[in-house]
Amino acid sequence: MVTARAAGIHGLTNDVLADKPAWAQLADQVHDFLGHAWICAHHAHVDYRELHRHLPTWEPAGVLDTLRLAKATYKDLPSYTLDALIKHVEPDLSQAPRVGRHRATYDAYATAQLLLAMANHYETWEQLVAAAVPPGLPGAPQQEEEATLF
């Protein structure tokens, strides 16, 4: 069931989705497509939680969050929404799907372009991961245990 808030953001309603396949019909295909790859999203814990709810046996190699990465990369921005980051970074979106903002394909493309732009601020994959993966999500760096005498 699509909430009124979600319908207002994405323009998708229960009527629009009535003839579309249910998650149960697509779960195996989506699971196979995602495999054990890294995923990236803006405010990633929301997407990860939803994917994991529908695909409980799926586990990505890691989860990159462009919201978290943007806060580490651009420390003094007044806002870190996807729109604010697009305005600040000015990624090349000329090849983005023409469906517009708040649609999955456009937002995924814009997020990927932002990730690429921000990745240039880090010298190593480990530095990028440390800045971009939220604690507790797959791929988060493990804290080294402090050496003790016992």
Side-chain angles (χ1 to χ4, degrees):
M1 172 162 238
V2 178
T3 65
R5 182 172 185 265
I9 292 170
H10 302 289
L12 299 174
T13 64
N14 291 317
D15 290 340
V16 169
L17 300 175
D19 63 342
K20 305 300 185 266
W23 257 107
Q25 295 171 284
L26 299 172
D28 290 341
Q29 183 180 353
V30 172
H31 188 282
D32 292 345
F33 177 77
L34 292 173
H36 191 63
W38 281 79
I39 65 167
C40 176
H42 194 71
H43 215 226
H45 74 278
V46 173
D47 296 275
Y48 173 76
R49 182 179 61 232
E50 281 303 304
L51 284 167
H52 203 265
R53 185 168 68 89
H54 291 289
L55 305 168
T57 62
W58 168 74
E59 191 70 24
V63 179
L64 299 171
D65 184 353
T66 54
L67 173 61
R68 181 179 175 85
L69 184 60
K71 288 179 177 183
T73 307
Y74 310 115
K75 296 188 187 321
D76 297 321
L77 293 184
S79 174
Y80 294 93
T81 65
L82 197 56
D83 288 322
L85 290 171
I86 289 169
K87 185 176 179 180
H88 178 75
V89 176
E90 297 181 339
D92 179 5
L93 299 177
S94 62
Q95 300 299 311
R98 297 287 173 222
V99 293
R101 272 285 286 122
H102 296 296
R103 297 308 298 260
T105 53
Y106 183 92
D107 288 0
Y109 187 91
T111 299
Q113 296 306 309
L114 290 169
L115 174 63
L116 292 172
M118 288 186 284
N120 286 326
H121 293 264
Y122 297 87
E123 292 182 23
T124 67
W125 172 252
E126 290 75 20
Q127 290 173 344
L128 178 73
V129 165
V133 179
L137 290 187
Q142 301 298 314
Q143 297 293 330
E144 291 185 26
E145 291 188 33
E146 209 171 295
T148 63
L149 293 175
F150 304 99

